[in-house]
Amino acid sequence: MTPLAHTTGLRHACTVLSRPGLIRLVTEIDDNGPIPPRSLTRTLPDLPDHHLHYTVRQARALGLVRHEPGVGLSLTPSGSGLTDIYDALARVARRHHLPAPVCDFTTRVQHTLTLLAMPVLTTEQTERDSRPAAEDLDGTRALLQQWLQENPQLTQGAEPVLAA
């Protein structure tokens, strides 16, 4: 993979992974266990139905969640790995008060993913970099890239085809 293709794939993955509904869905399942059938709208009541159903279809197409008969919507191993990434991203943001000293988990994850999607700076640029989180960002970028290598469907540059 060329560096440009790698950067484009990382940006695309960061864009997909920063969608609020996706962050909320996978972290909700991680925090509270499978979502029983017909309980999705009660579990995430602030998300409009059409947005919620699109998010579930997208998460299934990406291999992050699955429906288990009698259990409901649960995380796949890829989804469980993603929650670890989300937690690491939020920790970096919280440690460095990004994007603000007080904000919610989803906003912290989104902001850190935006920073990770930026081109990696050279060593000389990093030394001059005023971002306090540069070293932490490098660590979380490495975690994300490792997860993306194990989940290449997110770096192939195209949205998964979702059935209507």
Tab-separated table of all heavy atoms in Angstrom, residues 115-158:
chain	number	residue	atom	x	y	z
A	115	LEU	N	-8.045	14.383	14.660
A	115	LEU	CA	-6.601	14.630	14.775
A	115	LEU	C	-5.796	13.485	14.166
A	115	LEU	O	-4.776	13.715	13.511
A	115	LEU	CB	-6.205	14.833	16.239
A	115	LEU	CG	-6.750	16.085	16.920
A	115	LEU	CD1	-6.370	16.086	18.398
A	115	LEU	CD2	-6.260	17.341	16.227
A	116	LEU	N	-6.256	12.250	14.370
A	116	LEU	CA	-5.533	11.098	13.825
A	116	LEU	C	-5.593	11.043	12.307
A	116	LEU	O	-4.694	10.484	11.670
A	116	LEU	CB	-6.089	9.791	14.395
A	116	LEU	CG	-5.851	9.542	15.876
A	116	LEU	CD1	-6.442	8.196	16.281
A	116	LEU	CD2	-4.384	9.609	16.226
A	117	ALA	N	-6.631	11.614	11.727
A	117	ALA	CA	-6.775	11.597	10.270
A	117	ALA	C	-5.838	12.593	9.589
A	117	ALA	O	-5.612	12.509	8.385
A	117	ALA	CB	-8.213	11.908	9.882
A	118	MET	N	-5.259	13.500	10.384
A	118	MET	CA	-4.313	14.464	9.817
A	118	MET	C	-3.023	13.749	9.450
A	118	MET	O	-2.669	12.752	10.081
A	118	MET	CB	-4.026	15.577	10.824
A	118	MET	CG	-5.188	16.447	11.119
A	118	MET	SD	-4.703	17.658	12.354
A	118	MET	CE	-6.225	18.523	12.555
A	119	PRO	N	-2.301	14.267	8.454
A	119	PRO	CA	-1.032	13.633	8.070
A	119	PRO	C	-0.066	13.566	9.247
A	119	PRO	O	-0.035	14.466	10.088
A	119	PRO	CB	-0.486	14.558	6.981
A	119	PRO	CG	-1.664	15.335	6.502
A	119	PRO	CD	-2.621	15.424	7.643
A	120	VAL	N	0.707	12.486	9.298
A	120	VAL	CA	1.714	12.310	10.339
A	120	VAL	C	2.849	13.285	10.059
A	120	VAL	O	3.337	13.390	8.932
A	120	VAL	CB	2.246	10.853	10.359
A	120	VAL	CG1	3.324	10.699	11.407
A	120	VAL	CG2	1.096	9.898	10.616
A	121	LEU	N	3.277	14.000	11.090
A	121	LEU	CA	4.342	14.982	10.940
A	121	LEU	C	5.710	14.323	11.010
A	121	LEU	O	5.880	13.285	11.643
A	121	LEU	CB	4.229	16.037	12.050
A	121	LEU	CG	2.905	16.798	12.102
A	121	LEU	CD1	2.872	17.684	13.330
A	121	LEU	CD2	2.697	17.603	10.843
A	122	THR	N	6.688	14.949	10.396
A	122	THR	CA	8.055	14.445	10.488
A	122	THR	C	8.570	14.702	11.901
A	122	THR	O	7.978	15.468	12.667
A	122	THR	CB	8.977	15.160	9.483
A	122	THR	OG1	9.028	16.543	9.850
A	122	THR	CG2	8.483	14.995	8.063
A	123	THR	N	9.716	14.126	12.250
A	123	THR	CA	10.290	14.294	13.584
A	123	THR	C	10.548	15.763	13.880
A	123	THR	O	10.223	16.262	14.954
A	123	THR	CB	11.608	13.495	13.704
A	123	THR	OG1	11.323	12.148	13.377
A	123	THR	CG2	12.167	13.591	15.107
A	124	GLU	N	11.095	16.495	12.912
A	124	GLU	CA	11.393	17.913	13.116
A	124	GLU	C	10.105	18.700	13.352
A	124	GLU	O	10.041	19.544	14.236
A	124	GLU	CB	12.126	18.468	11.891
A	124	GLU	CG	12.548	19.912	12.050
A	124	GLU	CD	13.327	20.382	10.840
A	124	GLU	OE1	14.297	19.717	10.451
A	124	GLU	OE2	12.941	21.421	10.279
A	125	GLN	N	9.063	18.398	12.593
A	125	GLN	CA	7.795	19.087	12.783
A	125	GLN	C	7.180	18.731	14.130
A	125	GLN	O	6.594	19.583	14.788
A	125	GLN	CB	6.821	18.723	11.666
A	125	GLN	CG	7.188	19.316	10.327
A	125	GLN	CD	6.332	18.735	9.222
A	125	GLN	OE1	6.111	17.525	9.174
A	125	GLN	NE2	5.846	19.586	8.331
A	126	THR	N	7.332	17.483	14.556
A	126	THR	CA	6.767	17.050	15.822
A	126	THR	C	7.409	17.805	16.972
A	126	THR	O	6.736	18.182	17.928
A	126	THR	CB	6.952	15.528	16.006
A	126	THR	OG1	6.333	14.869	14.916
A	126	THR	CG2	6.330	15.056	17.306
A	127	GLU	N	8.726	18.052	16.894
A	127	GLU	CA	9.408	18.790	17.949
A	127	GLU	C	8.868	20.207	18.065
A	127	GLU	O	8.813	20.770	19.150
A	127	GLU	CB	10.916	18.799	17.696
A	127	GLU	CG	11.552	17.440	17.883
A	127	GLU	CD	13.006	17.383	17.435
A	127	GLU	OE1	13.570	18.438	17.080
A	127	GLU	OE2	13.559	16.282	17.451
A	128	ARG	N	8.459	20.802	16.939
A	128	ARG	CA	7.922	22.163	16.950
A	128	ARG	C	6.422	22.176	17.183
A	128	ARG	O	5.829	23.218	17.370
A	128	ARG	CB	8.211	22.845	15.607
A	128	ARG	CG	9.659	23.074	15.347
A	128	ARG	CD	9.838	23.934	14.115
A	128	ARG	NE	8.966	23.576	13.011
A	128	ARG	CZ	9.363	23.096	11.846
A	128	ARG	NH1	10.639	22.879	11.624
A	128	ARG	NH2	8.504	22.824	10.884
A	129	ASP	N	5.810	21.009	17.139
A	129	ASP	CA	4.358	20.911	17.230
A	129	ASP	C	3.868	21.425	18.582
A	129	ASP	O	4.375	21.043	19.621
A	129	ASP	CB	3.939	19.449	17.043
A	129	ASP	CG	2.456	19.288	16.804
A	129	ASP	OD1	1.725	20.282	16.928
A	129	ASP	OD2	2.051	18.163	16.487
A	130	SER	N	2.855	22.269	18.540
A	130	SER	CA	2.326	22.832	19.783
A	130	SER	C	1.209	21.980	20.379
A	130	SER	O	0.732	22.277	21.465
A	130	SER	CB	1.811	24.251	19.534
A	130	SER	OG	0.755	24.218	18.603
A	131	ARG	N	0.778	20.938	19.684
A	131	ARG	CA	-0.270	20.076	20.232
A	131	ARG	C	0.283	19.312	21.421
A	131	ARG	O	1.264	18.578	21.284
A	131	ARG	CB	-0.781	19.077	19.191
A	131	ARG	CG	-1.557	19.711	18.074
A	131	ARG	CD	-2.012	18.658	17.104
A	131	ARG	NE	-0.846	17.966	16.582
A	131	ARG	CZ	-0.877	16.815	15.950
A	131	ARG	NH1	-2.006	16.209	15.751
A	131	ARG	NH2	0.221	16.244	15.510
A	132	PRO	N	-0.334	19.450	22.581
A	132	PRO	CA	0.187	18.763	23.768
A	132	PRO	C	0.037	17.248	23.691
A	132	PRO	O	0.693	16.518	24.415
A	132	PRO	CB	-0.656	19.336	24.905
A	132	PRO	CG	-1.925	19.768	24.251
A	132	PRO	CD	-1.531	20.215	22.864
A	133	ALA	N	-0.804	16.789	22.812
A	133	ALA	CA	-1.114	15.365	22.777
A	133	ALA	C	-0.330	14.609	21.709
A	133	ALA	O	-0.661	13.477	21.404
A	133	ALA	CB	-2.605	15.181	22.536
A	134	ALA	N	0.722	15.196	21.130
A	134	ALA	CA	1.421	14.582	19.998
A	134	ALA	C	1.876	13.149	20.292
A	134	ALA	O	1.645	12.250	19.491
A	134	ALA	CB	2.595	15.451	19.562
A	135	GLU	N	2.515	12.927	21.436
A	135	GLU	CA	2.995	11.567	21.755
A	135	GLU	C	1.834	10.614	21.979
A	135	GLU	O	1.861	9.476	21.524
A	135	GLU	CB	3.891	11.602	22.989
A	135	GLU	CG	5.267	12.169	22.715
A	135	GLU	CD	6.156	12.124	23.941
A	135	GLU	OE1	5.858	11.361	24.888
A	135	GLU	OE2	7.144	12.858	23.938
A	136	ASP	N	0.808	11.091	22.709
A	136	ASP	CA	-0.366	10.245	22.939
A	136	ASP	C	-1.070	9.934	21.628
A	136	ASP	O	-1.562	8.822	21.431
A	136	ASP	CB	-1.343	10.922	23.894
A	136	ASP	CG	-0.891	10.851	25.344
A	136	ASP	OD1	0.011	10.045	25.645
A	136	ASP	OD2	-1.448	11.593	26.160
A	137	LEU	N	-1.119	10.914	20.728
A	137	LEU	CA	-1.755	10.692	19.433
A	137	LEU	C	-0.999	9.642	18.634
A	137	LEU	O	-1.609	8.809	17.971
A	137	LEU	CB	-1.846	11.986	18.637
A	137	LEU	CG	-2.903	12.976	19.114
A	137	LEU	CD1	-2.787	14.277	18.334
A	137	LEU	CD2	-4.288	12.394	18.999
A	138	ASP	N	0.323	9.666	18.711
A	138	ASP	CA	1.111	8.657	18.010
A	138	ASP	C	0.784	7.260	18.530
A	138	ASP	O	0.651	6.311	17.760
A	138	ASP	CB	2.607	8.938	18.148
A	138	ASP	CG	3.053	10.157	17.360
A	138	ASP	OD1	2.314	10.601	16.459
A	138	ASP	OD2	4.143	10.680	17.672
A	139	GLY	N	0.638	7.137	19.844
A	139	GLY	CA	0.298	5.842	20.431
A	139	GLY	C	-1.076	5.355	20.025
A	139	GLY	O	-1.255	4.184	19.670
A	140	THR	N	-2.057	6.249	20.048
A	140	THR	CA	-3.403	5.834	19.661
A	140	THR	C	-3.492	5.608	18.160
A	140	THR	O	-4.240	4.738	17.713
A	140	THR	CB	-4.482	6.847	20.108
A	140	THR	OG1	-4.147	8.140	19.626
A	140	THR	CG2	-4.631	6.861	21.611
A	141	ARG	N	-2.715	6.363	17.384
A	141	ARG	CA	-2.685	6.140	15.927
A	141	ARG	C	-2.149	4.725	15.652
A	141	ARG	O	-2.694	4.009	14.812
A	141	ARG	CB	-1.816	7.176	15.219
A	141	ARG	CG	-1.819	7.003	13.696
A	141	ARG	CD	-0.971	8.053	12.991
A	141	ARG	NE	-1.634	9.345	13.007
A	141	ARG	CZ	-1.203	10.403	13.690
A	141	ARG	NH1	-0.098	10.333	14.403
A	141	ARG	NH2	-1.865	11.538	13.656
A	142	ALA	N	-1.122	4.323	16.387
A	142	ALA	CA	-0.566	2.977	16.208
A	142	ALA	C	-1.607	1.907	16.569
A	142	ALA	O	-1.738	0.904	15.860
A	142	ALA	CB	0.696	2.803	17.043
A	143	LEU	N	-2.348	2.120	17.655
A	143	LEU	CA	-3.405	1.167	18.035
A	143	LEU	C	-4.480	1.089	16.957
A	143	LEU	O	-4.924	0.004	16.589
A	143	LEU	CB	-4.066	1.604	19.355
A	143	LEU	CG	-3.290	1.407	20.638
A	143	LEU	CD1	-4.026	2.061	21.800
A	143	LEU	CD2	-3.083	-0.071	20.900
A	144	LEU	N	-4.880	2.256	16.461
A	144	LEU	CA	-5.897	2.288	15.421
A	144	LEU	C	-5.408	1.604	14.153
A	144	LEU	O	-6.123	0.806	13.549
A	144	LEU	CB	-6.318	3.731	15.119
A	144	LEU	CG	-7.348	3.910	14.005
A	144	LEU	CD1	-8.649	3.176	14.337
A	144	LEU	CD2	-7.602	5.383	13.755
A	145	GLN	N	-4.179	1.877	13.758
A	145	GLN	CA	-3.643	1.264	12.544
A	145	GLN	C	-3.541	-0.254	12.684
A	145	GLN	O	-3.820	-0.985	11.735
A	145	GLN	CB	-2.298	1.879	12.177
A	145	GLN	CG	-2.460	3.289	11.636
A	145	GLN	CD	-1.145	4.000	11.409
A	145	GLN	OE1	-0.151	3.750	12.069
A	145	GLN	NE2	-1.146	4.910	10.443
A	146	GLN	N	-3.171	-0.725	13.861
A	146	GLN	CA	-3.126	-2.173	14.087
A	146	GLN	C	-4.536	-2.767	13.959
A	146	GLN	O	-4.722	-3.794	13.311
A	146	GLN	CB	-2.562	-2.482	15.467
A	146	GLN	CG	-2.519	-3.957	15.789
A	146	GLN	CD	-2.022	-4.228	17.196
A	146	GLN	OE1	-1.546	-3.330	17.891
A	146	GLN	NE2	-2.143	-5.464	17.628
A	147	TRP	N	-5.530	-2.107	14.555
A	147	TRP	CA	-6.903	-2.591	14.466
A	147	TRP	C	-7.370	-2.567	13.015
A	147	TRP	O	-8.048	-3.492	12.555
A	147	TRP	CB	-7.814	-1.740	15.361
A	147	TRP	CG	-9.217	-2.244	15.408
A	147	TRP	CD1	-9.712	-3.235	16.212
A	147	TRP	CD2	-10.310	-1.811	14.597
A	147	TRP	NE1	-11.049	-3.429	15.952
A	147	TRP	CE2	-11.443	-2.564	14.967
A	147	TRP	CE3	-10.449	-0.854	13.600
A	147	TRP	CZ2	-12.690	-2.395	14.379
A	147	TRP	CZ3	-11.690	-0.681	13.007
A	147	TRP	CH2	-12.790	-1.444	13.404
A	148	LEU	N	-7.011	-1.520	12.279
A	148	LEU	CA	-7.411	-1.411	10.874
A	148	LEU	C	-6.763	-2.494	10.013
A	148	LEU	O	-7.372	-2.964	9.053
A	148	LEU	CB	-7.081	-0.020	10.323
A	148	LEU	CG	-7.954	1.111	10.867
A	148	LEU	CD1	-7.410	2.460	10.423
A	148	LEU	CD2	-9.402	0.938	10.459
A	149	GLN	N	-5.549	-2.900	10.340
A	149	GLN	CA	-4.917	-3.999	9.601
A	149	GLN	C	-5.703	-5.284	9.795
A	149	GLN	O	-5.801	-6.104	8.889
A	149	GLN	CB	-3.470	-4.197	10.052
A	149	GLN	CG	-2.544	-3.132	9.540
A	149	GLN	CD	-1.120	-3.317	10.060
A	149	GLN	OE1	-0.863	-4.111	10.956
A	149	GLN	NE2	-0.191	-2.574	9.481
A	150	GLU	N	-6.264	-5.454	10.971
A	150	GLU	CA	-7.068	-6.642	11.263
A	150	GLU	C	-8.494	-6.517	10.715
A	150	GLU	O	-9.220	-7.498	10.664
A	150	GLU	CB	-7.116	-6.869	12.778
A	150	GLU	CG	-5.745	-7.151	13.379
A	150	GLU	CD	-5.730	-7.039	14.893
A	150	GLU	OE1	-6.792	-6.777	15.508
A	150	GLU	OE2	-4.635	-7.181	15.472
A	151	ASN	N	-8.886	-5.308	10.342
A	151	ASN	CA	-10.232	-5.017	9.831
A	151	ASN	C	-10.127	-4.185	8.561
A	151	ASN	O	-10.534	-3.021	8.539
A	151	ASN	CB	-11.044	-4.266	10.896
A	151	ASN	CG	-11.206	-5.091	12.150
A	151	ASN	OD1	-12.078	-5.939	12.214
A	151	ASN	ND2	-10.347	-4.871	13.123
A	152	PRO	N	-9.592	-4.752	7.491
A	152	PRO	CA	-9.312	-3.971	6.277
A	152	PRO	C	-10.554	-3.440	5.562
A	152	PRO	O	-10.426	-2.570	4.707
A	152	PRO	CB	-8.553	-4.962	5.399
A	152	PRO	CG	-8.984	-6.308	5.874
A	152	PRO	CD	-9.226	-6.155	7.349
A	153	GLN	N	-11.731	-3.907	5.915
A	153	GLN	CA	-12.948	-3.428	5.260
A	153	GLN	C	-13.134	-1.920	5.460
A	153	GLN	O	-13.809	-1.270	4.674
A	153	GLN	CB	-14.183	-4.195	5.757
A	153	GLN	CG	-14.585	-3.934	7.196
A	153	GLN	CD	-13.887	-4.806	8.220
A	153	GLN	OE1	-12.860	-5.393	7.972
A	153	GLN	NE2	-14.469	-4.873	9.410
A	154	LEU	N	-12.501	-1.346	6.449
A	154	LEU	CA	-12.653	0.085	6.721
A	154	LEU	C	-11.674	0.950	5.957
A	154	LEU	O	-11.848	2.152	5.879
A	154	LEU	CB	-12.496	0.347	8.219
A	154	LEU	CG	-13.732	-0.005	9.004
A	154	LEU	CD1	-13.413	-0.251	10.449
A	154	LEU	CD2	-14.756	1.090	8.867
A	155	THR	N	-10.633	0.392	5.413
A	155	THR	CA	-9.624	1.207	4.709
A	155	THR	C	-9.679	1.031	3.209
A	155	THR	O	-8.845	1.565	2.495
A	155	THR	CB	-8.209	0.864	5.208
A	155	THR	OG1	-7.981	-0.521	5.045
A	155	THR	CG2	-8.011	1.295	6.641
A	156	GLN	N	-10.666	0.333	2.720
A	156	GLN	CA	-10.735	0.076	1.283
A	156	GLN	C	-11.337	1.237	0.518
A	156	GLN	O	-11.456	1.186	-0.689
A	156	GLN	CB	-11.504	-1.217	1.019
A	156	GLN	CG	-10.736	-2.401	1.559
A	156	GLN	CD	-11.532	-3.675	1.568
A	156	GLN	OE1	-12.735	-3.672	1.346
A	156	GLN	NE2	-10.868	-4.779	1.824
A	157	GLY	N	-11.693	2.330	1.231
A	157	GLY	CA	-12.093	3.561	0.570
A	157	GLY	C	-13.518	3.661	0.103
A	157	GLY	O	-13.928	4.684	-0.404
A	158	ALA	N	-14.292	2.612	0.265
A	158	ALA	CA	-15.686	2.689	-0.184
A	158	ALA	C	-16.589	2.306	0.958
A	158	ALA	O	-16.264	1.464	1.776
A	158	ALA	CB	-15.911	1.748	-1.372
